[in-house]
Amino acid sequence: QNSLFLLFSGGSTPKIFLQKLAISEINWANITISLVDDRFVNSKSEYSNEKFLYENLINRIKFEKPKFLPLVQDFKDEENNLLLINQEPLFSNKPDIVFLGMGNDGHFASLFPNDEKSELGLSKNNDEILLNTNAPVHPQKRVSFSLSRITQSSHLFLFLTGEEKLNIITNSTTKEKLPIYNLLESSKKTISIYWAP
């Protein structure tokens, strides 16, 4: 049986979903997981998505754990870290399932509006799998999968909460200027969107 490769997001929206997933009857032994993006910090930092994933999913799984591939292997050197993670063979495979959230500024993963590096990651012509980006908030340095790799997933899920975020994805004049528009345009046939108030 082939191993599944899953990418998860950090942030407040997927927290309860991850906790419920941890107690579900899933054969995690045959699953490899990683993150859609992470902050460029030590994995012990309160800002770390890796720490968030361990606390809300991996540490709560009672039996055999999934294999985890970190996005931050050298938190002191941004460029060296990118070299290290790009050497991971599984990252060159298309993910089977990607779970995404979205920020109030229309960003997903760590692909932000008004950031040159993010614009490269959002470009259809970009063949990079992983890239460094800059967030408008602390901690600014991020590492993220590119849009092209995210949309190659077999199953893509976007989780949203609140009226503000719903307005962003339904208001065409707003979304066209935001990263989420690139995602919605690139994955019309494959994305499933779940919204809760």
Side-chain angles (χ1 to χ4, degrees):
Q1 189 180 1
N2 292 329
S3 175
L4 286 174
F5 180 35
L6 278 57
L7 297 179
F8 290 98
S9 294
S12 55
T13 304
K15 188 172 184 177
I16 295 171
F17 164 69
L18 292 173
Q19 292 175 1
K20 289 189 178 296
L21 206 58
I23 57 173
S24 303
E25 292 185 11
I26 294 171
N27 178 20
W28 288 104
N30 205 38
I31 296 174
T32 300
I33 66 175
S34 188
L35 290 153
V36 173
D37 67 308
D38 208 344
R39 283 106 171 192
F40 189 65
V41 293
N42 187 316
S43 62
K44 295 181 176 63
S45 166
E46 62 179 306
Y47 296 107
S48 169
N49 282 346
E50 179 178 335
K51 183 174 188 277
F52 172 84
L53 194 66
Y54 266 93
E55 288 176 349
N56 292 289
L57 177 66
I58 300 171
N59 290 346
R60 293 170 185 258
I61 296 170
K62 292 188 176 173
F63 302 103
E64 195 160 357
K65 313 275 190 188
K67 181 182 178 185
F68 175 73
L69 301 176
L71 287 188
V72 179
Q73 295 182 20
D74 179 357
F75 71 92
K76 293 182 178 177
D77 187 329
E78 192 181 20
E79 294 306 320
N80 186 52
N81 182 68
L82 196 59
L83 288 172
L84 290 171
I85 58 176
N86 273 313
Q87 288 169 10
E88 169 52 56
L90 196 54
F91 286 156
S92 63
N93 292 354
K94 295 175 184 178
D96 295 291
I97 306 173
V98 174
F99 300 94
L100 292 170
M102 183 190 77
N104 289 333
D105 61 354
H107 87 267
F108 66 94
S110 272
L111 300 170
F112 297 94
N114 307 312
D115 170 43
E116 284 185 23
K117 290 184 175 181
S118 293
E119 285 171 15
L120 288 173
L122 290 164
S123 169
K124 291 177 183 176
N125 302 320
N126 175 46
D127 57 3
E128 284 183 272
I129 296 169
L130 291 145
L131 67 157
N132 293 325
T133 64
N134 296 302
V137 294
H138 177 79
Q140 288 183 305
K141 289 185 177 181
R142 307 290 176 95
V143 57
S144 178
F145 274 89
S146 65
L147 172 68
S148 61
R149 181 43 51 111
I150 289 169
T151 53
Q152 285 170 356
S153 167
S154 303
H155 304 281
L156 186 56
F157 298 92
L158 176 64
F159 295 95
L160 305 166
T161 55
E163 293 289 340
E164 186 179 354
K165 291 182 181 180
L166 181 63
N167 288 339
I168 288 173
I169 66 161
T170 54
N171 184 338
S172 60
T173 56
T174 303
K175 75 182 181 190
E176 283 179 19
K177 300 169 187 170
L178 300 175
I180 195 67
Y181 177 74
N182 300 70
L183 176 73
L184 297 174
E185 278 296 294
S186 301
S187 54
K188 281 179 179 174
K189 295 177 182 176
T190 57
I191 193 165
S192 301
I193 301 173
Y194 293 87
W195 175 80

